[in-house]
Amino acid sequence: MIGYNKRKGGDSVYFSPYILDQNNCKIKVTIQPVCSEDLKTQEVIPPWKTDWTEDYLNNQDFLLYSMKTETGELVALGAYQLLENSIIVRIVYMESQPESNPTITVEKHRRKYTGIGRALIAFGIKLSVDYDFDGDITFEAKTTTLAEHYEKDFGAIRLPSFDKNSAPRFLLSGKAAQVIFSTYLRGE
């Protein structure tokens, strides 16, 4: 169980997500519910890999969030689902802007921003904590490389798949989730 106190040792503690620019400098971001403009990912150049206006992602059960820099630059989108019967948050889908997307821009030093996926996962953990789900989240890996990254760098536990053609599923909970989440906690 993660459970974070909004007051720790007399100081206020709050979730303060960030990403890294090409110089490894922290860039503060906000994660908030999407607006209709955020979903127009096919109208920008270069277009995003996913059309975020499609019916599947706009399922009423999904909570859609955008990640933006302080200047309002759209950096990423995430779809989350509260699975109340399982007491867990499922990260349905995450995507970063084309300039920062690791499946498009393979070389890390050429990506505009890094750490986007980690921040979106931390936000999923935050949702889980906020809904009293103890910080537990599940998600799928789109690629073998991501699956290895989630296991090695995040401490995610691989879950059984429903069928042999489905993407690898992972659980992030306990100490592993706490380590990621606490990275983004700041005191006043």
Side-chain angles (χ1 to χ4, degrees):
M1 177 188 338
I2 287 182
Y4 74 102
N5 294 326
K6 300 216 179 196
R7 297 197 50 83
K8 183 178 180 182
D11 295 329
S12 293
V13 176
Y14 60 96
F15 182 70
S16 179
Y18 63 86
I19 55 178
L20 302 173
D21 67 11
Q22 292 177 334
N23 298 316
N24 274 343
C25 294
K26 289 181 182 178
I27 305 296
K28 185 177 178 181
V29 293
T30 58
I31 302 174
Q32 56 200 18
V34 297
C35 65
S36 60
E37 285 298 309
D38 296 335
L39 300 178
K40 296 180 179 177
T41 57
Q42 300 303 294
E43 296 178 15
V44 296
I45 304 296
W48 291 41
K49 290 182 90 172
T50 305
D51 179 356
W52 281 78
T53 61
E54 64 187 33
D55 290 341
Y56 173 73
L57 288 171
N58 284 284
N59 179 324
Q60 291 182 7
D61 290 341
F62 298 165
L63 305 172
L64 301 182
Y65 286 89
S66 65
M67 176 190 287
K68 295 179 182 176
T69 64
E70 291 180 307
T71 62
E73 178 184 10
L74 180 63
V75 176
L77 294 168
Y80 301 84
Q81 184 178 26
L82 304 176
L83 299 175
E84 295 184 34
N85 291 338
S86 302
I87 313 175
I88 205 159
V89 169
R90 174 179 170 232
I91 300 176
V92 177
Y93 196 73
M94 302 183 293
E95 183 177 8
S96 58
Q97 63 181 199
E99 300 88 351
S100 302
N101 192 318
T103 62
I104 298 172
T105 309
V106 178
E107 298 176 42
K108 185 176 180 177
H109 69 278
R110 293 184 58 207
R111 284 190 255 155
K112 187 170 185 179
Y113 302 111
T114 58
I116 295 169
R118 183 181 177 92
L120 288 172
I121 286 173
F123 181 73
I125 296 167
K126 178 189 180 307
L127 284 176
S128 180
V129 170
D130 289 348
Y131 283 90
D132 293 327
F133 295 168
D134 293 336
D136 296 344
I137 62 169
T138 62
F139 50 92
E140 291 84 29
K142 292 186 224 175
T143 66
T144 304
T145 303
L146 278 174
E148 292 169 0
H149 170 60
Y150 294 148
E151 287 179 300
K152 179 183 172 210
D153 299 327
F154 292 0
I157 300 166
R158 194 174 205 147
L159 296 172
S161 294
F162 296 115
D163 65 56
K164 65 181 179 178
N165 296 324
S166 65
R169 295 178 335 122
F170 291 91
L171 168 68
L172 197 56
S173 69
K175 185 68 172 171
Q178 185 178 17
V179 167
I180 290 173
F181 183 65
S182 64
T183 302
Y184 302 97
L185 292 180
R186 301 287 174 257
E188 290 183 347

